Amino acid sequence: MKLIERLGKEWLFFDGGTGTILQEQGLAAGELPETWNLTHPEEIVALHGGYLQAGCDIINTNTFGANALKYPDQLQAVVEAAVAHAKAARRQSGREDAYIALDIGPTGRLLQPLGDLPFEQAVELFGEVVRIGAAAGADLVLIETMSDSYELKAAVLAAKENCDLPVLATVIFDEKGKLLTGGTVDSTVALLEGLRVDALGVNCGLGPEQMLPIIQRLTEVSSLPVIVNPNAGLPRSENGRTVFDIDADGFADWMARIAEMGVQVLGGCCGTTPAHIRQMIARCRQKPFLPPVPKERSVVSSFSQTVEIGGRPIIIGERINPTGKSKFKAALRENNIEYILSEGMMQEDSGADVLDVNVGLPEIDEPQMMAQVVTRLQSVIALPLQIDTSNTAAMERGMRLYNGKPMINSVSGKRESMEAVFPLVRKYGGVVVGLTLDENGIPDTAEERVRIAEKIYRTAAAYGIDKKDVVIDALAMTISSDSRSAQVTLETLRRIRDELGGHTILGVSNISFGLPQREIINAHFFTMAMQNGLSCAIINPNAEGMMRAYRAFLALTGQDAQCSGYIAAYGSQNTPAAPLPADAVMPLGESIERGLRERAEQAARERLHSTPPLELVNTELIPALDRVGKGFEQGTVFLPQLLMSAEAAKAAFEVVKDAMRGVPQQQKGKMILATVKGDIHDIGKNIVKVLLENYGYQVLDLGKDVPPEVIVETALREDVPLVGLSALMTTTVVSMEQTIRLLREKKPDTKVVVGGAVLTQEYADSIGADCYARDAMATVHYADEIFA
């Protein structure tokens, strides 16, 4: 029976750890586990056989780190051997009913614009592995241990575009339920459901106990089968070996509890063994199986935020649109992206929930501009986006590069439109706006508009798009040419809500076109529309009359608890402060906090006319970085924004340095950063480097896969008082311990700070580190202590 026929209908069980078991069998510190596919085939076959005999249904190929970055010359041989070994184990154990998962892990690099890996290159790197593995006979693709939703999307697209196998995906959350780049359970589920994976879940990083709140939320929001593959507790070091604190019986106890929470697929990750999996299966098979329950949630998401449609009306900011905006048109022609970003930030500050993005001008390359604007916006703004275009090439480019589940504006009831747009929504995911017009134009009656809405729903369903992912535009037409048009629109809204149970959207300000004092009409119509069921309003959130109507409506209808939003806006002043115009010179500190590189450069030059360079650094640049860092630690600023702020600060520093040419410059201190031997994952190290350099430290970046001897030799030669070590994989933290041991022997006065997804405070203590840095800012704080 095919996996897809069983998934979500009965208990299924994954295998357990790979790297930790190979370490027990002699995998050396820093040795790449995938090489054993070629050098130790018997051990790999035996590893799979042990799990199959324990009773698991799915075994993972030994390909977690296999990609062309790590294996430029041997990739095909490594992957083909991995699949062959899994097949051999299945045959030898008589478990032909088991499935072979092509295991795909992260590349270890951060995608542009935050890092240096282009999105499409990431898709191709993963795609190459998928093509080889599928041709070799894998039964499914498992994308696992992903900590960046953008890289996760690249991997899912690669799998979908290069094979027809089931695709399962699991990610690695921290104890706060966040991905490295800020994603939450809700935003990750929205992304993966939009991309139509077959099951999703969580693995690695945490033990089963620490995963409980994450699992609870997964089962609350996911309509897909949920996978849970924890570590055997948390790691620590004993006599130079990495061990985990939960034995087979304890693991089975926890997994039995998890089985009762509504998950469908269970397994293990680092530290788990065939004994763990055998005990888990024996306990969990006795539990009643709970199939996944469809969640009727209409959700759009960014990399870190979700917005659910169907509660309070959602505000969609309309200002990123050239229609009637000469300055915006000029910004598009001049490729002035930071003006566009500022428009987005103004709307975010004014209360928008989603930002509409329309960059269409006849004289520009709209697909290229859409790609550029979407990529830049999502690196500095956490709000979800609505991709607004009639150009399907631009629509697809925006959807492909979007880090989340977007809104799509729009599709109409015309057959040609639905045939062009629905396949894109099916492939990339999204909530699509359905315009109530067809080949006969815009109907004059609500009856005809509702009929078109029904046709859009039916056609979407034929493409596999749920009704919850369609929002109907009832079309607001100006009352200056037809005095009945507002009543028709309001009746359409009401009938779609009451008769069809659907969600609706309007471009509210269209109602007043051609009239004086348009905001008067707009605000009153907005209130009437919300009363009649309007779900989403495309408005200018900077227009205070519109926001007054909105906040008053929420308060009067009980959707603003204790009127807290209304009081926050109007309790201490007559009106909220007007936002800074998009073309104004933004203060230096705010430019840095917002991550606007060009604005920061401009502001630094302006300030240097009146402020000495060092004073500028100490009174504006460093305090701005401190504010961003504090926001990151408090969870109000996310990694993409932190990195963009660091880049803006770096640009301002360069301006200051130019002004100080010939003046002796002081640095806080010099330190080494390195990803340890055997580990090519340098995302964390590179993030730390950017921040340290912005705080005035000289960083000797030794790169990735660095032997202990090289680190120690550099520390001695440069007399470095602080070394920072990074590792992502359990199999490479042993190299970290060896490096620390050698440093203690050769240069005992040097302090060591360590970080990485698999590390904990207890583990860092057990290997002799002086400091465990939970995140990049913690490293900066420790450096400040050492160099004080």
Side-chain angles (χ1 to χ4, degrees), residues 101-135:
L102 178 66
D103 193 319
I104 294 180
T107 62
R109 288 168 62 181
L110 207 56
L111 274 60
Q112 292 178 347
L114 307 181
D116 62 353
L117 183 63
F119 181 84
E120 294 298 348
Q121 185 181 345
V123 174
E124 176 52 32
L125 285 168
F126 292 124
E128 187 177 6
V129 179
V130 171
R131 290 191 295 272
I132 297 169

Side-chain angles (χ1 to χ4, degrees), residues 625 642 646 686-695 776-777 780:
L625 278 174
L642 178 71
N686 291 341
I687 294 167
V688 171
K689 177 184 177 182
V690 170
L691 292 182
L692 284 168
E693 288 180 337
N694 276 281
Y695 275 87
M777 283 306 302
V780 173

Side-chain angles (χ1 to χ4, degrees), residues 425-439:
V425 179
R426 169 73 187 177
K427 178 176 181 178
Y428 296 107
V431 172
V432 63
V433 174
L435 306 178
T436 51
L437 62 88
D438 59 12
E439 286 82 359

Side-chain angles (χ1 to χ4, degrees), residues 253-583:
D253 288 342
W254 281 111
M255 297 305 282
R257 179 175 173 182
I258 289 170
E260 297 172 346
M261 297 175 68
V263 305
Q264 291 76 37
V265 187
L266 297 167
C269 202
C270 299
T272 57
T273 67
H276 287 79
I277 300 304
R278 181 180 296 107
Q279 293 282 73
M280 175 192 75
I281 293 172
R283 292 287 304 280
C284 294
R285 278 204 192 280
Q286 303 172 12
K287 300 292 181 181
F289 179 79
L290 302 174
V293 178
K295 312 299 191 302
E296 297 303 321
R297 301 172 71 240
S298 297
V299 173
V300 293
S301 69
S302 67
F303 70 92
S304 66
Q305 291 188 13
T306 56
V307 172
E308 185 169 358
I309 300 166
R312 65 169 177 82
I314 299 304
I315 300 296
I316 302 176
E318 68 180 5
R319 296 294 299 170
I320 303 178
N321 189 317
T323 304
K325 304 181 185 74
S326 58
K327 289 182 179 179
F328 194 93
K329 290 178 180 178
L332 289 175
R333 294 188 186 103
E334 297 164 7
N335 200 37
N336 184 357
I337 303 300
E338 292 210 350
Y339 178 90
I340 300 171
L341 300 185
S342 296
E343 284 284 5
M345 291 172 179
M346 286 164 49
Q347 295 178 95
E348 182 179 37
D349 291 345
S350 297
D353 300 298
V354 177
L355 298 181
D356 184 78
V357 181
N358 185 316
V359 294
L361 281 181
E363 62 267 38
I364 69 170
D365 182 342
E366 188 178 353
Q368 188 277 332
M369 180 60 73
M370 180 67 78
Q372 189 175 5
V373 171
V374 165
T375 302
R376 290 290 302 279
L377 271 171
Q378 67 189 6
S379 68
V380 297
I381 293 176
L383 297 183
L385 303 182
Q386 174 171 271
I387 297 170
D388 183 359
T389 179
S390 58
N391 182 322
T392 53
M395 182 180 290
E396 177 165 20
R397 194 71 185 130
M399 294 174 73
R400 186 174 181 86
L401 293 176
Y402 182 64
N403 188 3
K405 181 184 178 186
M407 290 194 76
I408 308 300
N409 193 2
S410 58
V411 69
S412 73
K414 295 180 181 180
R415 179 178 176 181
E416 179 183 18
S417 174
M418 292 188 288
E419 289 178 347
V421 174
F422 282 146
L424 299 181
V425 179
R426 169 73 187 177
K427 178 176 181 178
Y428 296 107
V431 172
V432 63
V433 174
L435 306 178
T436 51
L437 62 88
D438 59 12
E439 286 82 359
N440 298 315
I442 300 174
D444 294 328
T445 67
E447 180 71 30
E448 284 300 302
R449 294 186 191 183
V450 171
R451 180 188 61 78
I452 294 173
E454 291 175 321
K455 178 171 68 171
I456 291 172
Y457 284 142
R458 286 195 306 272
T459 309
Y463 281 90
I465 300 167
D466 293 337
K467 182 178 178 180
K468 66 182 181 182
D469 286 332
V470 179
V471 177
I472 299 298
D473 191 335
L475 299 178
M477 309 302 293
T478 179
I479 57 173
S480 64
S481 59
D482 181 357
S483 59
R484 293 184 58 257
S485 63
Q487 292 304 309
V488 171
T489 298
L490 294 172
E491 183 184 349
T492 304
L493 291 173
R494 184 170 59 253
R495 291 186 61 178
I496 289 171
R497 178 192 63 188
D498 297 342
E499 297 175 16
L500 303 185
H503 300 308
T504 53
I505 188 171
L506 284 179
V508 175
S509 61
N510 293 338
I511 202 71
S512 65
F513 186 77
L515 294 174
Q517 299 292 317
R518 295 180 61 188
E519 193 169 289
I520 298 173
I521 295 291
N522 292 345
H524 285 79
F525 177 68
F526 184 22
T527 300
M528 296 170 73
M530 289 188 286
Q531 188 66 42
N532 282 274
L534 180 65
S535 309
C536 307
I538 305 175
I539 66 169
N540 177 7
N542 303 330
E544 186 49 35
M546 299 297 281
M547 296 307 292
R548 283 193 186 118
Y550 178 67
R551 295 184 181 108
F553 178 83
L554 294 184
L556 291 166
T557 56
Q559 298 182 76
D560 180 8
Q562 289 80 49
C563 299
S564 58
Y566 185 88
I567 293 169
Y570 305 113
S572 59
Q573 53 188 31
N574 292 329
T575 59
L580 194 68
D583 56 349

Side-chain angles (χ1 to χ4, degrees), residues 458-747:
R458 286 195 306 272
T459 309
Y463 281 90
I465 300 167
D466 293 337
K467 182 178 178 180
K468 66 182 181 182
D469 286 332
V470 179
V471 177
I472 299 298
D473 191 335
L475 299 178
M477 309 302 293
T478 179
I479 57 173
S480 64
S481 59
D482 181 357
S483 59
R484 293 184 58 257
S485 63
Q487 292 304 309
V488 171
T489 298
L490 294 172
E491 183 184 349
T492 304
L493 291 173
R494 184 170 59 253
R495 291 186 61 178
I496 289 171
R497 178 192 63 188
D498 297 342
E499 297 175 16
L500 303 185
H503 300 308
T504 53
I505 188 171
L506 284 179
V508 175
S509 61
N510 293 338
I511 202 71
S512 65
F513 186 77
L515 294 174
Q517 299 292 317
R518 295 180 61 188
E519 193 169 289
I520 298 173
I521 295 291
N522 292 345
H524 285 79
F525 177 68
F526 184 22
T527 300
M528 296 170 73
M530 289 188 286
Q531 188 66 42
N532 282 274
L534 180 65
S535 309
C536 307
I538 305 175
I539 66 169
N540 177 7
N542 303 330
E544 186 49 35
M546 299 297 281
M547 296 307 292
R548 283 193 186 118
Y550 178 67
R551 295 184 181 108
F553 178 83
L554 294 184
L556 291 166
T557 56
Q559 298 182 76
D560 180 8
Q562 289 80 49
C563 299
S564 58
Y566 185 88
I567 293 169
Y570 305 113
S572 59
Q573 53 188 31
N574 292 329
T575 59
L580 194 68
D583 56 349
V585 177
M586 188 178 289
L588 177 57
E590 186 176 353
S591 300
I592 291 171
E593 291 180 64
R594 295 291 201 174
L596 298 179
R597 181 185 179 94
E598 294 175 10
R599 294 286 177 98
E601 288 179 345
Q602 180 185 2
R605 290 191 181 94
E606 292 288 333
R607 293 287 284 116
L608 283 170
H609 292 313
S610 58
T611 307
L614 284 177
E615 182 180 337
L616 191 63
V617 169
N618 293 325
T619 61
E620 295 207 38
L621 271 71
I622 295 300
L625 278 174
D626 286 340
R627 289 191 295 272
V628 175
K630 192 168 293 183
F632 177 70
E633 292 169 339
Q634 294 171 346
T636 58
V637 172
F638 303 100
L639 182 63
Q641 297 156 306
L642 178 71
L643 291 178
M644 290 297 100
S645 295
E647 287 298 316
K650 184 178 179 180
F653 271 121
E654 291 302 318
V655 172
V656 173
K657 285 180 183 178
D658 287 342
M660 295 175 63
R661 290 195 184 279
V663 179
Q665 299 181 35
Q666 290 185 340
Q667 287 186 318
K668 288 184 178 180
K670 180 166 58 176
M671 65 176 291
I672 288 172
L673 288 181
T675 301
V676 298
K677 183 180 178 181
D679 205 321
I680 67 161
H681 302 86
D682 60 355
I683 291 176
K685 172 184 67 64
N686 291 341
I687 294 167
V688 171
K689 177 184 177 182
V690 170
L691 292 182
L692 284 168
E693 288 180 337
N694 276 281
Y695 275 87
Y697 291 100
Q698 180 185 355
V699 176
L700 303 178
D701 183 1
L702 301 185
K704 55 196 175 187
D705 189 19
V706 186
E709 297 78 12
V710 173
I711 297 170
V712 173
E713 288 169 6
T714 307
L716 287 166
R717 183 177 64 251
E718 300 291 336
D719 191 23
V720 173
L722 179 61
V723 170
L725 302 177
S726 173
L728 175 73
M729 302 186 297
T730 306
T731 53
T732 60
V733 290
V734 178
S735 297
M736 186 178 283
E737 185 174 8
Q738 291 177 351
T739 302
I740 294 173
R741 190 182 304 121
L742 192 59
L743 273 169
R744 295 289 181 255
E745 177 185 337
K746 302 289 186 180
K747 198 174 188 303

